Amino acid sequence: MRISAHTVCTAIRDDIVNGVLPLGSRLAEEQLAQRYGVSRVPVREALRTLESEGFVVSKRHAGACVAQPGEREAADLLDIQALLEPLGAARAAQRRTEAHLKVLRGLVRLGRQRAGQGQEGDLRSLGDWFHETVAQATGSPALTTLLVQLRLKITWLYAAEPVGRAVASWQERGALVDAIARGDAERARILTTARLERAAPARKLPRTTAARGGKPAVNTGRAQI
Protein backbone atom coordinates (compact mmCIF):
# COMPACT_ATOMS: atom_id res chain seq x y z
CA MET A 1 0.00 0.00 0.00
CA ARG A 2 1.44 3.37 -1.06
CA ILE A 3 1.71 5.92 1.73
CA SER A 4 0.70 9.39 0.56
CA ALA A 5 2.83 12.49 0.76
CA HIS A 6 0.11 14.00 2.98
CA THR A 7 0.54 11.21 5.53
CA VAL A 8 4.33 11.58 5.46
CA CYS A 9 3.98 15.36 5.80
CA THR A 10 1.79 14.94 8.88
CA ALA A 11 4.27 12.50 10.43
CA ILE A 12 7.26 14.79 9.85
CA ARG A 13 5.35 17.83 11.07
CA ASP A 14 4.33 16.02 14.26
CA ASP A 15 7.94 14.98 14.89
CA ILE A 16 9.08 18.59 14.39
CA VAL A 17 6.39 20.01 16.68
CA ASN A 18 7.10 17.41 19.38
CA GLY A 19 10.83 18.12 19.28
CA VAL A 20 11.76 14.68 17.95
CA LEU A 21 13.38 16.50 15.03
CA PRO A 22 15.11 19.45 16.80
CA LEU A 23 15.36 23.02 15.63
CA GLY A 24 18.00 23.36 12.94
CA SER A 25 18.48 19.62 12.43
CA ARG A 26 19.17 18.35 8.92
CA LEU A 27 16.38 16.49 7.15
CA ALA A 28 18.03 14.01 4.81
CA GLU A 29 15.52 12.52 2.39
CA GLU A 30 17.03 9.03 2.52
CA GLN A 31 17.00 8.91 6.32
CA LEU A 32 13.45 10.21 6.50
CA ALA A 33 12.32 7.67 3.91
CA GLN A 34 13.78 4.88 6.04
CA ARG A 35 12.27 6.34 9.20
CA TYR A 36 8.73 6.43 7.81
CA GLY A 37 8.99 3.37 5.58
CA VAL A 38 8.41 5.16 2.28
CA SER A 39 10.30 6.09 -0.88
CA ARG A 40 12.03 9.44 -1.24
CA VAL A 41 9.30 10.81 -3.53
CA PRO A 42 6.61 11.43 -0.85
CA VAL A 43 9.32 12.68 1.52
CA ARG A 44 10.44 15.24 -1.05
CA GLU A 45 6.84 16.38 -1.59
CA ALA A 46 6.26 16.57 2.18
CA LEU A 47 9.35 18.70 2.72
CA ARG A 48 8.19 21.15 0.05
CA THR A 49 4.84 21.48 1.83
CA LEU A 50 6.49 21.93 5.22
CA GLU A 51 8.80 24.58 3.77
CA SER A 52 5.76 26.52 2.53
CA GLU A 53 4.30 26.29 6.05
CA GLY A 54 7.48 27.57 7.68
CA PHE A 55 8.52 24.39 9.51
CA VAL A 56 11.38 23.61 7.12
CA VAL A 57 14.01 25.70 5.33
CA SER A 58 16.39 24.83 2.51
CA LYS A 59 20.02 25.71 3.21
CA ARG A 60 22.78 25.90 0.67
CA HIS A 61 25.14 22.92 0.93
CA ALA A 62 22.97 21.43 3.70
CA GLY A 63 19.64 20.78 2.02
CA ALA A 64 16.41 20.74 4.02
CA CYS A 65 16.62 21.54 7.75
CA VAL A 66 14.13 22.16 10.53
CA ALA A 67 13.54 25.91 10.67
CA GLN A 68 14.87 28.06 13.52
CA PRO A 69 12.53 31.04 13.79
CA GLY A 70 13.87 34.01 15.70
CA GLU A 71 12.51 35.20 19.02
CA ARG A 72 10.69 38.09 17.35
CA GLU A 73 8.89 35.72 15.01
CA ALA A 74 8.00 33.47 17.95
CA ALA A 75 6.62 36.45 19.87
CA ASP A 76 4.64 37.57 16.81
CA LEU A 77 2.81 34.23 16.84
CA LEU A 78 1.35 35.03 20.26
CA ASP A 79 0.16 38.42 18.99
CA ILE A 80 -1.44 36.75 15.97
CA GLN A 81 -3.07 34.19 18.24
CA ALA A 82 -4.54 36.99 20.36
CA LEU A 83 -6.23 38.34 17.22
CA LEU A 84 -7.29 35.16 15.45
CA GLU A 85 -8.50 32.85 18.22
CA PRO A 86 -11.14 35.28 19.58
CA LEU A 87 -12.36 35.74 15.99
CA GLY A 88 -12.49 31.97 15.56
CA ALA A 89 -14.47 31.54 18.77
CA ALA A 90 -16.98 34.19 17.68
CA ARG A 91 -17.39 32.57 14.27
CA ALA A 92 -17.85 29.18 15.90
CA ALA A 93 -20.68 30.58 18.03
CA GLN A 94 -22.38 31.84 14.89
CA ARG A 95 -21.84 28.82 12.65
CA ARG A 96 -21.42 25.71 14.81
CA THR A 97 -23.52 22.62 14.16
CA GLU A 98 -25.03 20.20 16.63
CA ALA A 99 -22.32 17.73 15.65
CA HIS A 100 -19.64 20.24 16.67
CA LEU A 101 -21.37 20.83 20.00
CA LYS A 102 -21.63 17.12 20.70
CA VAL A 103 -17.89 16.67 20.18
CA LEU A 104 -16.97 19.77 22.19
CA ARG A 105 -19.17 18.79 25.14
CA GLY A 106 -17.76 15.28 25.12
CA LEU A 107 -14.20 16.59 25.10
CA VAL A 108 -14.89 18.99 27.97
CA ARG A 109 -16.42 16.17 29.99
CA LEU A 110 -13.39 13.94 29.40
CA GLY A 111 -10.94 16.79 29.96
CA ARG A 112 -12.49 17.73 33.30
CA GLN A 113 -12.49 14.11 34.37
CA ARG A 114 -8.86 13.49 33.42
CA ALA A 115 -7.68 16.79 34.89
CA GLY A 116 -9.55 16.16 38.14
CA GLN A 117 -7.97 12.72 38.44
CA GLY A 118 -4.51 14.00 37.58
CA GLN A 119 -4.36 11.90 34.41
CA GLU A 120 -2.19 14.30 32.47
CA GLY A 121 -1.27 11.94 29.62
CA ASP A 122 -4.57 12.37 27.77
CA LEU A 123 -4.93 16.11 28.24
CA ARG A 124 -2.59 17.03 25.44
CA SER A 125 -4.49 15.17 22.71
CA LEU A 126 -7.86 16.18 24.14
CA GLY A 127 -6.86 19.84 24.11
CA ASP A 128 -5.66 19.57 20.52
CA TRP A 129 -8.91 17.93 19.48
CA PHE A 130 -10.98 20.56 21.30
CA HIS A 131 -9.33 23.56 19.65
CA GLU A 132 -9.31 21.92 16.24
CA THR A 133 -13.05 21.29 16.59
CA VAL A 134 -13.65 24.95 17.53
CA ALA A 135 -11.63 25.92 14.44
CA GLN A 136 -13.71 23.60 12.25
CA ALA A 137 -16.90 25.05 13.73
CA THR A 138 -16.03 28.44 12.20
CA GLY A 139 -17.29 27.07 8.89
CA SER A 140 -14.33 28.69 7.13
CA PRO A 141 -11.69 26.33 5.69
CA ALA A 142 -9.21 29.21 5.41
CA LEU A 143 -9.67 30.30 9.04
CA THR A 144 -9.59 26.69 10.22
CA THR A 145 -6.25 26.11 8.51
CA LEU A 146 -4.79 29.31 9.98
CA LEU A 147 -5.94 28.48 13.51
CA VAL A 148 -4.70 24.90 13.44
CA GLN A 149 -1.29 25.79 12.00
CA LEU A 150 -0.93 28.70 14.42
CA ARG A 151 -1.46 26.47 17.44
CA LEU A 152 0.98 23.91 16.04
CA LYS A 153 3.67 26.55 15.64
CA ILE A 154 3.14 27.93 19.13
CA THR A 155 3.36 24.41 20.55
CA TRP A 156 6.52 23.87 18.51
CA LEU A 157 8.31 27.06 19.54
CA TYR A 158 7.21 27.45 23.16
CA ALA A 159 7.65 25.22 26.18
CA ALA A 160 4.48 23.94 27.76
CA GLU A 161 2.81 25.78 30.60
CA PRO A 162 2.73 24.14 34.03
CA VAL A 163 0.18 21.33 34.15
CA GLY A 164 -1.19 22.76 37.39
CA ARG A 165 -3.61 24.87 35.34
CA ALA A 166 -5.22 21.83 33.74
CA VAL A 167 -8.40 21.91 35.86
CA ALA A 168 -8.87 25.65 35.34
CA SER A 169 -8.14 25.30 31.61
CA TRP A 170 -10.92 22.77 31.14
CA GLN A 171 -13.32 24.89 33.18
CA GLU A 172 -12.54 27.75 30.79
CA ARG A 173 -13.15 25.49 27.81
CA GLY A 174 -16.48 24.46 29.30
CA ALA A 175 -17.55 28.09 29.63
CA LEU A 176 -16.55 28.68 26.02
CA VAL A 177 -18.65 25.75 24.83
CA ASP A 178 -21.65 27.16 26.74
CA ALA A 179 -21.24 30.48 24.92
CA ILE A 180 -20.85 28.74 21.56
CA ALA A 181 -23.96 26.65 22.24
CA ARG A 182 -25.98 29.79 22.99
CA GLY A 183 -24.74 31.44 19.82
CA ASP A 184 -23.24 34.24 21.92
CA ALA A 185 -20.40 35.37 19.67
CA GLU A 186 -19.36 38.32 21.83
CA ARG A 187 -19.18 36.18 24.97
CA ALA A 188 -17.13 33.57 23.13
CA ARG A 189 -14.76 36.28 21.95
CA ILE A 190 -14.39 37.76 25.46
CA LEU A 191 -13.76 34.37 27.08
CA THR A 192 -11.09 33.47 24.54
CA THR A 193 -9.35 36.84 24.90
CA ALA A 194 -9.36 36.50 28.69
CA ARG A 195 -7.97 32.96 28.51
CA LEU A 196 -5.08 34.04 26.30
CA GLU A 197 -4.33 37.02 28.55
CA ARG A 198 -4.22 34.77 31.62
CA ALA A 199 -1.92 32.35 29.85
CA ALA A 200 0.53 34.97 28.56
CA PRO A 201 2.45 35.67 31.83
CA ALA A 202 2.99 31.94 32.37
CA ARG A 203 4.70 31.50 29.03
CA LYS A 204 8.28 30.31 29.31
CA LEU A 205 11.03 31.47 27.03
CA PRO A 206 10.61 30.28 23.47
CA ARG A 207 12.53 27.16 22.54
CA THR A 208 14.43 29.28 20.03
CA THR A 209 16.27 30.83 22.98
CA ALA A 210 17.64 27.45 24.00
CA ALA A 211 18.75 26.83 20.43
CA ARG A 212 20.88 29.97 20.63
CA GLY A 213 22.49 29.11 23.94
CA GLY A 214 20.07 30.87 26.27
CA LYS A 215 18.01 29.43 29.09
CA PRO A 216 16.77 25.92 28.19
CA ALA A 217 13.07 25.65 27.50
CA VAL A 218 12.29 22.06 26.66
CA ASN A 219 8.95 21.37 25.02
CA THR A 220 7.72 18.37 26.98
CA GLY A 221 4.08 18.63 26.03
CA ARG A 222 1.38 20.74 24.49
CA ALA A 223 0.62 23.99 26.26
CA GLN A 224 -2.59 23.96 28.28
CA ILE A 225 -4.14 27.14 26.92
Side-chain angles (χ1 to χ4, degrees), residues 86 92 112 114 150 165 179 193:
R112 284 174 168 168
R114 299 291 195 275
L150 178 61
R165 284 206 76 250
T193 298

Side-chain angles (χ1 to χ4, degrees), residues 8 20 24 26 52 71 96 99 109 126 159 165 175 180 191 195-196 205 210 225:
V8 176
V20 177
R26 186 168 179 268
S52 71
E71 291 182 37
R96 86 320 184 260
R109 184 170 61 252
L126 291 176
R165 284 206 76 250
I180 290 174
L191 287 171
R195 173 176 57 81
L196 294 174
L205 287 174
I225 67 171

Side-chain angles (χ1 to χ4, degrees), residues 3 9 25 36 58 70 111 121 130 132 141 147 169 187 224:
I3 300 177
C9 182
S25 61
Y36 303 111
S58 293
F130 178 90
E132 185 171 343
L147 289 169
S169 292
R187 179 62 175 166
Q224 291 294 319

Side-chain angles (χ1 to χ4, degrees), residues 7-63:
T7 300
V8 176
C9 182
T10 299
I12 297 175
R13 187 192 297 111
D14 286 346
D15 280 346
I16 291 174
V17 170
N18 293 330
V20 177
L21 298 172
L23 294 165
S25 61
R26 186 168 179 268
L27 300 171
E29 290 182 8
E30 184 175 352
Q31 292 177 356
L32 291 174
Q34 292 177 352
R35 177 182 179 85
Y36 303 111
V38 297
S39 70
R40 295 175 64 171
V41 174
V43 169
R44 191 174 301 120
E45 294 178 20
L47 291 178
R48 282 199 293 264
T49 298
L50 292 170
E51 185 170 7
S52 71
E53 294 176 355
F55 290 100
V56 170
V57 295
S58 293
K59 294 184 177 180
R60 190 175 182 181
H61 305 309

Side-chain angles (χ1 to χ4, degrees), residues 111-127:
R112 284 174 168 168
Q113 180 183 8
R114 299 291 195 275
Q117 295 173 349
Q119 298 178 0
E120 300 167 4
D122 292 340
L123 294 181
R124 167 178 167 171
S125 58
L126 291 176

